[in-house]
Amino acid sequence: MAVSGRLSTFRLPPLPTIREIIKLFKLQAVKQLSQNFLLDLRLTDKIVRKAGNLTNAYVYEVGPGPGGITRSILNAGIAELLVVEKDSRFIPGLQMLSDAAPGKLRIVHGDVLTFKTERAFPENLKRQWEDDPPNVHIIGNLPFSVSTPLIIKWLENVSHRNGPFAYGRTQMTLTFQKEVAERIVANKGSKQRSRLSIMAQYLCDVQHVLTIPGRAFVPKPEVDVGVVHFTPLTQPKIEQPFKLVEKVVQNAFQFRRKYCYRGLGMLFPEAQRIESTGKLLQLADVDPTLRPTQLSVSHFKSLCDVYRKMCDEDPHLFAYNFREELKHRSEKGRGDKES
Ligand code: SAM
């Protein structure tokens, strides 16, 4: 009890402001790397509060940069914070924070897309998947070009219960371009409904918890920013391999404005397309004239279950990719013309 009391009352000592840190260490944002910094610590406190109760938590912050969110996390009563930053210019400023919070901040100069989290935190934090989430949290404001591939990678980790989810249902609080945040949480029938909505919602409870205007960042990005909180579900809504779900969802959404049978048909080679698409939709009990945006997660569950059975019956089906067929055909056409 005494220990947890001490941990939760820690506050950073007075430090130079983030603006001063940027000047001191010459940390001008690199536009090509989409670096946009948060300097207002009231705002970074607000983002960190959206992660939930962090008392005695082990936190993994991705892309800390000059350390605004990092400071708010360190002041939130956490046990330990691990940060992974790719740009070496930020390491000395983070080191200064580490000196101000002895034993609390671990700094890794590395890439979040390849950093291995399996052994990043103490073993005793591990929880059974069905239990309450472990006291491990991921928080980050990354460039938009990194946050979308990263969330897809982490959703795959959720489905395999590995990576940061080897500890149980680790919660994530991440920023995205506002439109992407809206797509992640979009419900059936909404204009923003997309591949990301299904991929996120079949595995996680997702909440768009905060919108931050672009003007709060330095330099100001073209767009506003949405903060999304993810909690992995105890039971995924689709119980098929991630790659299979991804394939069905990707195909369904490739002609967003057309009836769903058009995109789903591309799961099958041309010679059997009409027949197999009809079978898929009939067995899954999905109306072929629904638009992809009108399909619910439970429609996708039925489609994935039936497609799985069809793949089990035809071992070549899963490997079929209509784009490769098109490429092959156009290369052949070119070859025929040239010869
Ligand atoms: N979190 C800080 C803030 O809110 O002010 C910085 C935000 S800035 C948009 C993104 C940060 O992520 C930069 O510091 C950048 O160097 C870092 N970053 C970009 N790609 C990364 C990657 N693949 N791995 C680790 N850090 C990365």
Side-chain angles (χ1 to χ4, degrees):
M1 238 11 228
V3 172
S4 74
R6 195 156 26 110
L7 283 169
S8 58
T9 52
F10 171 85
R11 298 289 298 178
L12 283 166
L15 291 165
T17 63
I18 300 286
R19 201 179 284 281
E20 286 162 349
I21 292 283
I22 290 174
K23 262 206 190 136
L24 190 65
F25 294 102
K26 300 193 172 59
L27 303 177
Q28 278 73 16
V30 179
K31 217 172 171 193
Q32 293 90 314
L33 297 181
S34 308
Q35 291 177 337
N36 310 96
F37 307 135
L38 283 166
L39 310 190
D40 178 352
L41 294 181
R42 279 167 309 180
L43 194 53
T44 56
D45 281 349
K46 204 166 169 185
I47 295 173
V48 169
R49 276 200 299 275
K50 297 295 179 191
N53 181 359
L54 296 185
T55 309
N56 296 339
Y58 284 72
V59 181
Y60 172 33
E61 189 198 356
V62 288
I69 296 178
T70 319
R71 291 186 189 203
S72 296
I73 299 171
L74 287 168
N75 280 333
I78 55 134
E80 194 181 294
L81 169 59
L82 164 69
V83 296
V84 176
E85 172 56 59
K86 192 174 173 182
D87 184 340
S88 60
R89 296 177 307 144
F90 294 109
I91 305 299
L94 293 167
Q95 194 53 54
M96 199 188 82
L97 277 184
S98 173
D99 296 341
K104 284 193 179 288
L105 178 58
R106 254 194 306 155
I107 304 164
V108 172
H109 176 211
D111 188 326
V112 296
L113 290 166
T114 49
F115 181 72
K116 297 249 178 302
T117 42
E118 271 87 350
R119 280 190 220 106
F121 299 110
E123 279 286 303
N124 64 6
L125 293 173
K126 287 193 172 166
R127 294 282 170 273
Q128 292 296 319
W129 193 260
E130 294 70 22
D131 287 351
D132 286 342
N135 208 358
V136 179
H137 296 255
I138 299 175
I139 300 179
N141 171 33
L142 279 167
F144 304 136
S145 58
V146 180
S147 52
T148 305
L150 190 62
I151 193 61
I152 291 289
K153 175 178 144 81
W154 278 340
L155 289 171
E156 184 162 11
N157 287 147
V158 170
S159 82
H160 296 139
R161 304 182 183 180
N162 62 12
F165 310 94
Y167 293 87
R169 294 184 298 121
T170 299
Q171 299 173 74
M172 304 180 269
T173 310
L174 302 168
T175 61
F176 297 89
Q177 186 176 334
K178 182 169 157 254
E179 284 68 22
V180 175
E182 286 169 351
R183 270 186 241 149
I184 291 171
V185 303
N187 288 324
K188 182 182 80 159
S190 112
K191 256 209 314 232
Q192 285 92 346
R193 185 79 156 177
S194 68
R195 174 179 78 107
L196 267 183
S197 330
I198 310 298
M199 297 311 288
Q201 293 171 29
Y202 97 83
L203 289 162
C204 294
D205 172 63
V206 287
Q207 307 285 337
H208 182 172
V209 286
L210 186 66
T211 299
I212 309 172
R215 66 184 133 78
F217 294 82
V218 178
K220 176 181 170 304
E222 298 294 310
V223 290
D224 292 340
V225 171
V227 182
V228 182
H229 185 76
F230 299 76
T231 310
L233 297 168
T234 46
Q235 189 78 21
K237 291 185 178 161
I238 304 176
E239 291 186 281
Q240 294 295 350
F242 185 85
K243 291 287 182 213
L244 184 142
V245 181
E246 198 177 34
K247 188 172 182 197
V248 172
V249 174
Q250 233 163 19
N251 276 268
F253 276 98
Q254 71 190 306
F255 305 120
R256 321 179 29 87
R257 289 166 202 279
K258 303 254 163 70
Y259 293 143
C260 69
Y261 78 85
R262 281 292 309 279
L264 289 166
M266 295 305 184
L267 289 166
F268 306 103
E270 202 172 347
Q272 66 179 84
R273 188 161 293 152
I274 295 178
E275 191 191 336
S276 296
T277 313
K279 183 173 160 190
L280 171 71
L281 287 158
Q282 192 193 6
L283 292 178
D285 196 18
V286 172
D287 175 351
T289 64
L290 289 174
R291 316 266 170 196
T293 50
Q294 293 171 307
L295 297 175
S296 63
V297 174
S298 91
H299 281 135
F300 275 103
K301 176 192 167 6
S302 313
L303 289 166
C304 291
D305 289 346
V306 176
Y307 179 63
R308 169 66 189 266
K309 277 203 195 109
M310 294 169 91
C311 289
D312 288 346
E313 283 162 16
D314 172 357
H316 301 294
L317 183 58
F318 187 67
Y320 172 72
N321 180 333
F322 84 96
R323 287 184 201 282
E324 272 165 27
E325 186 174 281
L326 286 181
K327 203 167 111 199
H328 178 72
R329 256 199 256 156
S330 80
E331 276 166 10
K332 192 169 171 295
R334 218 178 309 136
D336 288 348
K337 259 192 214 152
E338 280 163 11
S339 61

